[in-house]
Every structure is written in structure tokens, then in C-alpha cells.
Amino acid sequence: MATHQIELSDPKKAVPILSEFLSDILAEEQVPFEIENAMQLCAEEAVVNIFKHGYKGAEGPVRVRFTLDDNRVILEIEDEAPFFNPLTLPSPDVDAELDERKIGGLGVYLIRSLMDDVRYQETPKGNCLVMEKSFSG
Amino acid sequence: MTSENTEINLLHTLRKEAGSALKVDIWYEGEIWVFHPVGSIDTGTCGDLEVTLIEGIQQGMRWIVLDMTDVRYISSAGIRVLILGAKTLKQKNGELKLSTLNKTVEEIIQMTGLKKVIPVYPDNQSAIHSFSTKE
């Protein structure tokens, strides 16, 4: 089992730093491209939501832990923002016509759609979102 | 259609605007404009595409094909810009179309229901041709 961890704090630099961190690990571990794409996307969506909504655009600690266990990748994202379970957000209407279509609100929906399992838990300091996806070796 | 000089100035402005993180090449065929972003459309780069698209629409472009040949990744931030562009064009009696999606980008476009509201074509020529057959 391989585990890698990174701590982010600057909302302006978080996404590129996270993207490079995951690219390096996923290449090193030879994870298939479609899994890399899904992990990158879900990590970006979760971290952007934390800085945007949890920390209201300000700096704050976000710890990202990546674990590869056989043919399963696990991404745990912890913050110290006020308690909020993003999985309680309603799903957007992806069948709506263009005029009725809302401009945002797709991030959590994409995480739920792309991952095999997504769990939320409160921690003593804030929130933790755990995302898992399996792939065939 | 705008005059030749205005077009050259417009292209220069758009390229300058898009020059930071996401390169967007732009060309036209008749009254159809083709935007060709190169790179990932994510939280960090979506603003470049938004500025380029909205600036183009404000300057009079109405029929736009977004050539996705060289976009290997799109997040919800990028999807937001596509919906914004499509809505803005529709309000001005124009239309946004997508062409040449790779497999992973197509999966996200499909998953978010965008195919229902933004037409997708396998290549630029069929996207461009679809405008003329509609009229």
C-alpha cells in the first residue's frame, strides 16, 4: 500500500499544486489514464469547494492524502472549515433545457458520478471527504 | 460581418486576452467562428476561455464552434463556461456548438447533460456545415 500526502493553504495556488502532486504519483504508480483523469477532476472539485465555500476564499489548511491499495485509489481530503457535508447538496437537473440550466453546482455531482464510493465524516477540527475508485489491473 | 481591419484587431485582442494560461486560437469560415483552446479547461484556466468567448460575442460573433481537439481535461469550472457561452449566444440569437471531443471530455459532457443543450459534432467541418444547413 502506497500513501502520499500534501498540505495546501493558498486558494490561488492549490489547484495547480494539487494537480502536479497527483500527476507525479499517478504516473509513478502507473494508474490508468481514465482513473488519473477522474481522480484529478474529483480532487479539484472538492478542494475548490473547500476554499470557495468553507474558507470563503481565504487561506486555510487542506490536507490531501492519496492511497493506492491493489487496484483501488483512495483520496481523503481534510479541512478545518465549519462543518458541512457536501453530499447533502441536491443533485443538479442535468436534463434541464438551456434556458432553465443553472450555470454552476456540478462539482459534487461529478464527484458522485465518477467515484465508486464517496463518504463524508466530521472530524474534531472540521470535515473529511473520502473518495474511492477501483480499476482493473 | 465585420470589416477586415476590425477582424484583425479583434483576433489580436482575443489572442492577447487568452495568452496567460489557456491558449485559444481563433479563425473563421464565412460567418462561423472556430475557437480552438489548447490545454486543460479547469479552475485556473476557465477564466481565459470565458473572457475570450464573451469578448467575441460582444464584438458580434454569433455562430461559434468550440474545437475541443486539444482539450484533454475539463472540470465543472469549464462546463460552467460552456453553459454561460451557450446561454449568452442563445440570448443573441446565435449558437454554440462543440466538435472533436476526446473520450474523457465526452464522458464529462455526457455526464453533465450538456449534449442535450449544446450540439456536439465529430469534426469542425460537420459542425460548420450544420449552421448552413439549419439556415
Side-chain angles (χ1 to χ4, degrees), chain A residues 10-101:
Chain A
D10 184 344
K12 292 190 180 76
K13 296 175 184 165
V15 169
I17 291 173
L18 179 63
S19 173
E20 195 177 338
F21 166 76
L22 287 174
S23 287
D24 290 347
I25 297 167
L26 293 162
E28 185 186 317
E29 303 287 356
Q30 298 184 322
V31 172
F33 173 71
E34 60 271 23
I35 302 298
E36 176 185 345
N37 199 67
M39 299 310 287
Q40 287 276 15
L41 198 147
C42 292
E44 176 187 332
E45 303 294 353
V47 166
V48 165
N49 278 346
I50 290 169
F51 281 112
K52 193 172 173 186
H53 302 294
Y55 292 131
K56 311 285 184 201
E59 292 198 359
V62 176
R63 281 171 295 281
V64 179
R65 189 180 303 114
F66 173 92
T67 305
L68 178 65
D69 182 11
D70 290 330
N71 289 333
R72 187 173 55 133
V73 285
I74 306 164
L75 205 54
E76 295 166 79
I77 304 184
E78 280 185 33
D79 64 60
E80 296 179 16
F83 295 133
F84 177 68
N85 180 357
L87 303 180
T88 59
L89 288 170
S91 292
D93 182 2
V94 294
D95 293 320
E97 296 297 334
L98 188 58
D99 293 335
E100 282 81 44
R101 188 69 66 120

Side-chain angles (χ1 to χ4, degrees), chain A residues 37 40-42 44-45 110 114, chain B residues 37 39-43 45-46 49 66 68 71-83 98 101-102 104-109 112 114:
Chain A
N37 199 67
Q40 287 276 15
L41 198 147
C42 292
E44 176 187 332
E45 303 294 353
L110 282 173
L114 287 165
Chain B
S40 295
I41 307 178
D42 58 21
T43 304
T45 62
C46 68
L49 182 61
L66 199 57
M68 304 286 276
V71 175
R72 70 188 290 270
Y73 173 94
I74 188 165
S75 70
S76 72
I79 298 293
R80 179 191 151 278
V81 173
L82 300 190
I83 296 174
L98 302 178
L101 308 180
N102 74 23
T104 51
V105 171
E106 183 160 20
E107 185 187 15
I108 301 303
I109 299 290
T112 51
L114 234 63

Side-chain angles (χ1 to χ4, degrees), chain B residues 40-99:
Chain B
S40 295
I41 307 178
D42 58 21
T43 304
T45 62
C46 68
D48 294 327
L49 182 61
E50 180 174 337
V51 165
T52 311
L53 262 178
I54 298 303
E55 174 116 349
I57 295 166
Q58 283 171 350
Q59 300 220 25
M61 298 179 187
R62 292 294 176 266
W63 316 107
I64 297 178
V65 174
L66 199 57
D67 172 6
M68 304 286 276
T69 308
D70 292 308
V71 175
R72 70 188 290 270
Y73 173 94
I74 188 165
S75 70
S76 72
I79 298 293
R80 179 191 151 278
V81 173
L82 300 190
I83 296 174
L84 177 68
K87 280 190 165 204
T88 308
L89 279 168
K90 191 179 177 192
Q91 284 162 4
K92 295 178 181 298
N93 297 318
E95 192 172 12
L96 178 68
K97 300 188 178 192
L98 302 178
S99 81

Side-chain angles (χ1 to χ4, degrees), chain A residues 42 46 50 65 67 69 72-79 84-88 108 111-113 115-123 126-134:
Chain A
C42 292
I50 290 169
R65 189 180 303 114
T67 305
D69 182 11
R72 187 173 55 133
V73 285
I74 306 164
L75 205 54
E76 295 166 79
I77 304 184
E78 280 185 33
D79 64 60
F84 177 68
N85 180 357
L87 303 180
T88 59
V108 175
I111 291 174
R112 290 175 126 150
S113 302
M115 292 291 118
D116 295 336
D117 186 34
V118 187
R119 302 184 300 279
Y120 166 84
Q121 56 203 55
E122 282 184 11
T123 67
N127 309 281
C128 181
L129 194 67
V130 183
M131 304 180 268
E132 292 189 17
K133 191 169 180 70
S134 299

